[in-house]
C-alpha cells in the first residue's frame, strides 16, 4: 500500500493575531513533494492555525490517493497527542477542528508523529508565506512560493529530492490553496514574491520546546496564578515527557456581579423566576464606579450580560463608558429559586425546612416549587462558557451576571466540588477574573474585588 507523509504547521503573529497555515504532502518512498497547501486565516490563534494546517494536509493527501496510509508529522506536541488520543481535547474551539481532521480519512489509515521544528521547515515556510501574503492583503499563491526551496526539499525523507510528478494542476475548490504542481521558474531565487519573512513575532504556543527552536513566544511572564498547577496538566497528558502548560494568550472572562437592587441589602432570594428588580440608586452608583475603573484599565473588548434587568442595566452603564455594545447571553441568568423568590434565608428555613436542608446538601436538589438545582445551573453555565470561549478566543470579555453563575464559573475553573459555592463571598458590583488557556486549563486571577467602590 502506498504511504504518504503529511507535514503541517500553523502560526499566529500575536496569538491571537494574523495567522496562517502550511501543509505539504510527500511521497514516503521517494521523498518527492506531491502537493502543497497554505492559507491566510485572518486573526485567530496558533492552535487553530495548526489544526487548520492538519485538515488541509489530510485533504490534499486524500485527493492524491484516498487508499494510501498517511503519516502525519508535526512539531505541535498538543495536536499530535490530541489526535493520537493520548491527550484530551478540553478547549471547545479545538474540538470541531479535531473532529473535522478525523473525518477526512478512516482513522486506521492515519498515524501521528511528533518532530522537532527543524524537521518541519517546509510546512513552516508555507505558513509564513501565507501570513506574509495576508499582511499584503492577498491570499497565498503557489506560483510565488519558495517554501520547498528554502526548506531544502522534502525534509521528511532522507531520499534525494526528485522532480514533482505530473499530478493534477487544478487547485482544490476549498478554502485552502492546495496545489499539486510542477516546479515553476518564478521560484528560482529567494527574492521571488512570497519569499519567507523573519520568524519574529510568530506567537508560538509550542508544547514541548526543543533546543533547536529559535522562535520566541510573545507572552507575558506568568505569575503564580498563571502556573495553574501541574495537577491540572497531568489530566491532559502522561506524566512521562509531559508538555509544559500552554502559557499563550488566554481568553479572559472579567466577571462582574450586578449592582445592588432594593432586594440586595435585605438578602432576599432574587433569581430568574421572581420580580426581576432593577438597580437601586446605590446599584447605579456602583455600576458607574466599576465603569470608571474598567475604562481606566482599558482591557475589556466585549460586554456580555445576563438577560435580567439588573444585569442589563449594569452592563449598559459600563459598556457606555467603554464605547462597546452589550450582547445578551441567556445562560448567564441567575438560578430560578422557585417558591423561595423574594424570601429571606430565614423565611425559607422556617417555611420549607426539609427542602432547604436537601438543597444545602445535594447539588441535584431543587428549591421548592420546581426551581433550578445547582447541578442544572452548572450545566447551563458550562454550556454558555464553552460557547463564549469559542466565540471570543484570546479576547478579554466582561460578563455581567449573578452570584450563582459567577461562583459556578470560578468553581469549575478550580475543579472544586459543588459545596465550594457556599465558601465564596461575592458582593454586589464585585469583580472576579478567570483566564482560560488553549490547552483547556484555567486560572482564577481575582475573586470578589470591590476596590472600585471605595
Amino acid at each position: 500500500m502506498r504511504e504518504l507523509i503529511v507535514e503541517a504547521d500553523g502560526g499566529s503573529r500575536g496569538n491571537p493575531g494574523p495567522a496562517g497555515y502550511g501543509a505539504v504532502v510527500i511521497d514516503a518512498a521517494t521523498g518527492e513533494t506531491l502537493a502543497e497547501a497554505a492559507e491566510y486565516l485572518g486573526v485567530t490563534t496558533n492552535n487553530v492555525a495548526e489544526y487548520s494546517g492538519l485538515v488541509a494536509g489530510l485533504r490534499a493527501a486524500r485527493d492524491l490517493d484516498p487508499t494510501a496510509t498517511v503519516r502525519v508529522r508535526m512539531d505541535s506536541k498538543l495536536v499530535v497527542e490530541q489526535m493520537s488520543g493520548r491527550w484530551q481535547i478540553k478547549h471547545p474551539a479545538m474540538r470541531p477542528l479535531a473532529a473535522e481532521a478525523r473525518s477526512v480519512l478512516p482513522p486506521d489509515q492515519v498515524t501521528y508523529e511528533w518532530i522537532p521544528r527543524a524537521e518541519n521547515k517546509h510546512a513552516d515556510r508555507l505558513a509564513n508565506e501565507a501570513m506574509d501574503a495576508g499582511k499584503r492583503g492577498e491570499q497565498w499563491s503557489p506560483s510565488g512560493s519558495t517554501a520547498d526551496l528554502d526548506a531544502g526539499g522534502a525534509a521528511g525523507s532522507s531520499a534525494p529530492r526528485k522532480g514533482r510528478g505530473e499530478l493534477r494542476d487544478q487547485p482544490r475548490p476549498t478554502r485552502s490553496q492546495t496545489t499539486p504542481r510542477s516546479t515553476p521558474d518564478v521560484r528560482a531565487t529567494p527574492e521571488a514574491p512570497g519569499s519567507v519573512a523573519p520568524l519574529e513575532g510568530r506567537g508560538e504556543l509550542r508544547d514541548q520546546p526543543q533546543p533547536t527552536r529559535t522562535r520566541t513566544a510573545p507572552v507575558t511572564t506568568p505569575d503564580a496564578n498563571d502556573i495553574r498547577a501541574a495537577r491540572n496538566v497531568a489530566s491532559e497528558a502522561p506524566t512521562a515527557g509531559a508538555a509544559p502548560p500552554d502559557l499563550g494568550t488566554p481568553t479572559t472572562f472579567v466577571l462582574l456581579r450586578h449592582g445592588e437592587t432594593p432586594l440586595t441589602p435585605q438578602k432576599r432570594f432574587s433569581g430568574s423566576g421572581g420580580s426581576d428588580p432593577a438597580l437601586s440608586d446605590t446599584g447605579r452608583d456602583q455600576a458607574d464606579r466599576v465603569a470608571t475603573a474598567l475604562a481606566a484599565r482599558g482591557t475589556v473588548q466585549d460586554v456580555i450580560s445576563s438577560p435580567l434587568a439588573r444585569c442589563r442595566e449594569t452592563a449598559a452603564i459600563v459598556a457606555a463608558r467603554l464605547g462597546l455594545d452589550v450582547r445578551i447571553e441567556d445562560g448567564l441568568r441567575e438560578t430560578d429559586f422557585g417558591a423561595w423568590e423574594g424570601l429571606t434565608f430565614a423565611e425559607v428555613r422556617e417555611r420549607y425546612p426539609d427542602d432547604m436542608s436537601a438543597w444545602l446538601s445535594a447539588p441535584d436538589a431543587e428549591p421548592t416549587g420546581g426551581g433550578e438545582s445547582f447541578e442544572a445551573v452548572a450545566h447551563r453555565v458550562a454550556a454558555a462558557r464553552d460557547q463564549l470561549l469559542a466565540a471570543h478566543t484570546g479576547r478579554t470579555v466582561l460578563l455581567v451576571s449573578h452570584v450563582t453563575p459567577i461562583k459556578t464559573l470560578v468553581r469549575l475553573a478550580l475543579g472544586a466540588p459543588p459545596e465550594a459555592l457556599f465558601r465564596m463571598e461575592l458582593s454586589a458590583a464585585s469583580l472576579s477574573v478567570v483566564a482560560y488557556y488553549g490547552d483547556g486549563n484555567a486560572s482564577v486571577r481575582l475573586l470578589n474585588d470591590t476596590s472600585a467602590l471605595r
Side-chain angles (χ1 to χ4, degrees):
M1 181 179 289
R2 186 183 190 186
E3 182 184 16
L4 300 176
I5 295 172
V6 169
E7 294 178 353
D9 200 6
S12 173
R13 294 169 177 170
N15 199 39
Y21 68 73
V24 56
V25 182
I26 300 163
D27 188 303
T30 66
E32 179 184 354
T33 297
L34 303 177
E36 291 176 325
E39 184 185 10
Y40 175 65
L41 297 172
V43 176
T44 189
T45 65
N46 184 74
N47 292 151
V48 168
E50 288 175 332
Y51 264 106
S52 298
L54 170 62
V55 171
L58 289 172
R59 286 176 173 168
R62 179 195 61 191
D63 289 352
L64 288 166
D65 188 345
T67 67
T69 61
V70 176
R71 178 156 48 102
V72 175
R73 295 159 48 91
M74 297 181 69
D75 60 287
S76 169
K77 185 74 171 174
L78 180 74
V79 175
V80 168
E81 294 299 317
Q82 288 180 339
M83 291 303 299
S84 298
R86 292 185 289 269
W87 293 9
Q88 298 177 30
I89 304 175
K90 294 184 177 179
H91 198 290
M94 299 300 104
R95 292 172 190 150
L97 289 168
E100 186 177 1
R102 292 192 184 100
S103 70
V104 176
L105 288 165
D108 59 358
Q109 288 182 220
V110 185
T111 59
Y112 291 87
E113 174 188 348
W114 179 86
I115 57 174
R117 177 182 165 264
E119 297 180 21
N120 202 28
K121 290 181 180 179
H122 192 162
D124 177 272
R125 297 290 195 272
L126 288 168
N128 275 276
E129 285 185 1
M131 286 184 278
D132 292 340
K135 187 176 181 180
R136 299 191 300 269
E138 305 168 358
Q139 275 291 351
W140 176 83
S141 170
S143 64
S145 176
T146 64
D148 198 4
L149 298 179
D150 292 337
S157 172
S158 59
R161 177 179 177 271
K162 299 184 179 182
R164 304 171 194 270
E166 293 186 6
L167 301 171
R168 292 169 297 168
D169 299 317
Q170 292 298 323
R172 292 174 55 249
T174 66
R175 62 178 185 149
S176 62
Q177 300 282 338
T178 304
T179 313
R181 57 186 173 82
S182 56
T183 307
D185 294 338
V186 71
R187 303 195 309 158
T189 66
E191 290 76 24
S195 59
V196 180
L199 295 173
E200 59 206 357
R202 174 107 180 253
E204 302 290 319
L205 293 184
R206 296 302 181 191
D207 309 283
Q208 190 172 352
Q210 301 297 309
T212 56
R213 296 187 180 187
T214 58
R215 290 181 283 185
T216 302
V219 299
T220 56
T221 302
D223 58 20
N225 283 334
D226 290 323
I227 299 303
R228 296 169 296 133
R231 293 191 303 273
N232 291 336
V233 180
S235 65
E236 181 84 349
T239 301
D246 170 6
L247 294 179
T249 304
T251 303
T252 303
F253 286 173
V254 179
L255 309 173
L256 171 60
R257 184 189 170 194
H258 61 80
E260 282 190 11
T261 75
L263 299 181
T264 305
Q266 302 174 29
K267 299 188 182 300
R268 295 185 179 275
F269 282 93
S270 181
S272 56
S275 60
D276 194 15
L279 295 179
S280 63
D281 290 341
T282 298
R284 283 186 284 275
D285 179 67
Q286 290 171 333
D288 187 67
R289 289 172 182 267
V290 173
T292 300
L294 290 175
R297 195 173 302 174
T299 55
V300 171
Q301 297 168 287
D302 302 286
V303 179
I304 314 292
S305 174
S306 154
L308 299 184
R310 51 199 181 273
C311 285
R312 287 189 286 106
E313 191 174 357
T314 301
I317 292 171
V318 176
R321 186 71 58 87
L322 301 179
L324 299 171
D325 295 326
V326 178
R327 189 168 73 81
I328 302 301
E329 170 53 57
D330 186 65
L332 297 178
R333 69 185 186 276
E334 182 57 288
T335 308
D336 182 345
F337 292 112
W340 303 352
E341 294 280 359
L343 302 178
T344 66
F345 191 90
E347 288 170 341
V348 173
R349 172 74 80 182
E350 180 181 352
R351 299 182 193 184
Y352 310 103
D354 293 340
D355 290 350
M356 172 65 79
S357 296
W359 183 70
L360 292 173
S361 60
D364 60 348
E366 297 177 349
T368 307
E372 285 183 290
S373 67
F374 285 128
E375 186 175 76
V377 174
H379 285 301
R380 165 165 59 83
V381 169
R385 174 202 62 194
D386 290 350
Q387 291 173 2
L388 292 171
L389 285 173
H392 300 273
T393 302
R395 296 175 69 80
T396 298
V397 185
L398 179 68
L399 305 186
V400 185
S401 188
H402 311 262
V403 171
T404 310
I406 292 175
K407 286 185 177 182
T408 298
L409 286 168
V410 172
R411 177 183 77 78
L412 294 174
L414 293 172
E419 54 265 30
L421 295 175
F422 302 117
R423 294 176 172 85
M424 299 182 213
E425 175 70 22
L426 204 67
S427 304
S430 65
L431 289 168
S432 302
V433 177
V434 180
Y436 298 88
Y437 291 80
D439 58 11
N441 288 295
S443 169
V444 176
R445 294 183 168 182
L446 190 69
L447 181 66
N448 197 40
D449 177 24
T450 59
S451 60
L453 307 181
R454 298 168 193 159

